[in-house]
Amino acid sequence: MDHQFFARDELGLGTVHCNGVLEEPADSAFFKLFVGEKLIDTQRQKVAADRKYTLSVRLQSGLVAYRTEFGIMRDGVETVLEKADDLVCGDVFVIQGQSNAEAWTDKRVVHPYRSRWLRSFGTPSTNKDRARDAVWGNALSFNGGENHYHFQIGYWGVELGKLLIEKHQVPICILNGAQGGTRIDQHQRNELDPTDVETIYGRLLWRLQQARLTHGVRAVLWHQGENDQGAAGPTGTYGWVNYEDYFIRMAASWKEDYPNIEHYYIHQIWPGACGGRSVESDRLRERQRRLPNQFSNMSLLSTLGIRPGGGCHYLPEGYAMLARQLFPLLNRNHYGIDSRESVVSPNLESVSYTNGRRDEIRLVFDQEVEWEEEVARQFLLDGEGADLSVVAGRGKAVLLKLSGSSSAKTLSYVQSGKWREEDAIIRGTNQLAAVTFCEVRIREATSR
């Protein structure tokens, strides 16, 4: 098809297949590859009595557009039967989740970046008739109304695509299948009909199949959870209870349908996002924090440090910052660019009392962190505000000094409904905000 995108392999090459059965007899079939008017490859095949042909050409990835011609030769005369123009080869990514993955911005601000090298396919529209629109086009952040959301990948999707194209000089294809206001149970695959376009999962799978890109997806970028802070799901329990199980089941479906996925990227949602104000919201973020423990190829990023912040959704500048946080991670995991500093959000590794008096608690993170003294107000012991006199420590460790002996069994950091964007937080020395945690068991001091 015109404007089609081909995923590159580990050698940096994509393959255009041309297979079928001729409607008329011929001596041979040919398949030609051009850059502009320059012919760079020709494949020929003799045609047998069954008139079947199987041809292919290889594309080198890069900021170059190809075109193809398919045809037959009979009695020494070539006849072109089909043409396709503006074909490119590069990397494919998927965005999935709810409204902060859709990333329209509340005022539908459209990202100004436009590029022939940033593409998408079809539409995330829930309209059954439109959901099966098999068309290619240049991606943009929002394309609602009469265009039925064709090629729409969200604000941070466009920003991320722009950064990748400019850095790596390779075309990028992003398919965004997110739907606002949805729970994670609504993102599961219909096992009886995986491409059911009445489901979120089925609409995206159908698009990727029609685009011939199921085996080219390099990563899934997931931003979801705001609608799992309550108890509206099918089990009648709070969303955090089954969140991990649902995610693992969904990721297994992804891996089956998109078998070459290299990495998963997930965001821990904003505290109290979209009205979540109870401890159940904090427990949902805790489940998100623990998800990477179940995967060898998952990266977790906090949204806590995004400015402007997101009480529910983000302003364009906030979505752009979200993309800039993701960018170094994709550089490391998919493009082999090592960084001297960590490119992920600090995550808690352990919590313990430092002595038998139980008047001091040590937090150990997976990387060096820094903080302001006011961050002491963000901790809770057994769900209640903690009376901390000093916050000290160095490197990966943070020491919480209590005003007296404590019998608390759990420690939490950042409470939904009480934290504000201007409050002090813990950050890595890379300036990424640490992920929040909830009701983490405090271990007893170890004897020396």
Side-chain angles (χ1 to χ4, degrees):
M1 297 175 65
D2 288 347
H3 317 300
Q4 189 164 348
F5 191 103
F6 295 85
R8 64 173 174 170
D9 59 18
E10 65 277 2
L11 299 177
L13 301 173
T15 303
V16 185
H17 296 279
C18 186
N19 307 327
V21 180
L22 294 174
E23 295 180 353
E24 57 185 303
D27 300 324
S28 64
F30 64 84
F31 195 34
K32 296 182 179 182
L33 180 67
F34 298 82
V35 174
E37 295 304 313
K38 182 180 179 181
L39 177 65
I40 60 174
D41 190 13
T42 301
Q43 298 295 317
R44 297 183 184 274
Q45 183 183 61
K46 290 183 178 181
V47 177
D50 60 7
R51 300 183 185 175
K52 291 182 178 179
Y53 58 90
T54 302
L55 296 161
S56 65
V57 293
R58 297 279 268 167
L59 307 181
Q60 178 67 53
S61 60
L63 301 185
V64 57
Y66 300 92
R67 65 182 181 88
T68 59
E69 292 182 355
F70 166 74
I72 59 172
M73 178 174 283
R74 187 166 54 214
D75 299 329
V77 178
E78 285 190 352
T79 302
V80 176
L81 301 178
E82 298 286 348
K83 295 181 180 181
D85 195 17
D86 192 29
L87 313 178
V88 298
C89 176
D91 296 329
V92 182
F93 298 95
V94 161
I95 295 174
Q96 189 57 289
Q98 57 179 109
S99 57
N100 279 317
E102 284 180 320
W104 296 349
T105 79
D106 285 340
K107 294 185 179 180
R108 305 297 187 259
V109 177
V110 177
H111 196 295
Y113 182 73
R114 296 286 188 280
S115 173
R116 68 182 300 188
W117 311 118
L118 180 60
R119 301 197 179 179
S120 193
F121 179 85
T123 171
S125 173
T126 57
N127 181 304
K128 278 198 305 182
D129 296 326
R130 290 292 180 181
R132 293 193 184 277
D133 285 355
V135 287
W136 284 99
N138 297 332
L140 69 170
S141 63
F142 181 73
N143 190 24
E146 294 181 0
N147 292 310
H148 299 279
Y149 312 110
H150 287 125
F151 324 128
Q152 180 173 284
I153 65 171
Y155 201 95
W156 62 263
V158 170
E159 180 71 15
L160 184 60
K162 170 179 176 288
L163 293 171
L164 291 171
I165 291 167
E166 292 177 348
K167 174 68 174 178
H168 303 291
Q169 296 295 291
V170 63
I172 297 294
C173 178
I174 296 176
L175 270 71
N176 188 323
Q179 184 177 337
T182 54
R183 304 180 307 270
I184 193 170
D185 64 274
Q186 294 172 298
H187 285 261
Q188 303 303 303
R189 181 172 65 180
N190 176 356
E191 298 299 335
L192 297 178
D193 182 7
T195 56
D196 176 5
V197 293
E198 294 192 15
T199 67
I200 300 169
Y201 191 100
R203 286 192 290 275
L204 181 62
L205 175 58
W206 185 88
R207 291 166 65 196
L208 281 160
Q209 286 181 351
Q210 296 302 306
R212 306 294 192 267
L213 291 177
T214 54
H215 288 56
V217 176
R218 303 197 72 177
V220 176
L221 300 95
W222 174 256
H223 194 129
Q224 189 276 339
E226 292 89 346
N227 271 60
D228 287 282
Q229 296 176 99
T235 63
T237 59
Y238 283 100
W240 65 266
V241 175
N242 297 304
Y243 195 86
E244 182 179 283
D245 291 339
Y246 275 127
F247 190 94
I248 290 173
R249 186 188 311 168
M250 179 178 61
S253 298
W254 287 339
K255 190 61 179 173
E256 182 177 342
D257 291 322
Y258 318 129
N260 294 320
I261 287 176
E262 299 169 349
H263 211 81
Y264 304 96
Y265 301 88
I266 65 170
H267 293 94
Q268 186 187 57
I269 63 171
W270 188 265
C274 304
R277 294 293 182 266
S278 71
V279 68
E280 313 300 341
S281 303
D282 303 334
R283 289 168 177 165
L284 185 280
R285 295 198 313 281
E286 175 66 11
R287 287 301 180 274
Q288 292 178 324
R289 183 183 79 86
R290 295 182 184 181
L291 271 178
N293 296 335
Q294 306 296 327
F295 293 80
S296 62
N297 59 341
M298 176 180 286
S299 298
L300 172 68
L301 282 171
S302 172
T303 57
L304 204 63
I306 292 176
R307 300 292 183 272
C312 189
H313 303 133
Y314 298 87
L315 294 174
E317 295 84 354
Y319 282 129
M321 184 174 180
L322 191 150
R324 291 194 293 271
Q325 286 188 171
L326 281 163
F327 180 54
L329 267 170
L330 270 68
N331 284 340
R332 182 192 70 182
N333 295 330
H334 306 288
Y335 299 95
I337 297 179
D338 292 327
S339 175
R340 295 182 179 179
E341 62 180 7
S342 172
V343 291
V344 296
S345 296
N347 200 344
L348 184 70
E349 288 191 332
S350 65
V351 179
S352 62
Y353 288 108
T354 63
N355 57 56
R357 298 188 301 276
R358 293 168 137 246
D359 61 0
E360 185 179 74
I361 298 173
R362 176 186 289 111
L363 287 68
V364 179
F365 289 84
D366 59 5
Q367 60 182 279
E368 292 190 2
V369 293
E370 54 191 34
W371 60 90
E372 300 170 358
E373 187 171 347
E374 290 80 4
V375 80
R377 303 171 186 170
Q378 307 308 322
F379 292 98
L380 298 92
L381 292 169
D382 287 346
E384 301 294 332
D387 186 9
L388 305 177
S389 55
V390 178
V391 177
R394 60 187 299 179
K396 297 180 180 181
V398 178
L399 295 178
L400 306 181
K401 294 185 178 295
L402 311 182
S403 59
S405 180
S406 174
S407 61
K409 296 181 179 179
T410 65
L411 182 73
S412 300
Y413 166 62
V414 177
Q415 184 179 17
S416 291
K418 294 190 176 181
W419 180 81
R420 297 293 180 267
E421 181 177 326
E422 60 271 15
D423 289 344
I425 57 176
I426 298 172
R427 295 179 182 271
T429 54
N430 58 9
Q431 294 307 301
L432 291 176
V435 294
T436 68
F437 55 86
C438 177
E439 299 172 332
V440 175
R441 184 175 68 86
I442 307 173
R443 300 173 182 172
E444 295 299 329
T446 55
S447 58
R448 297 182 178 178

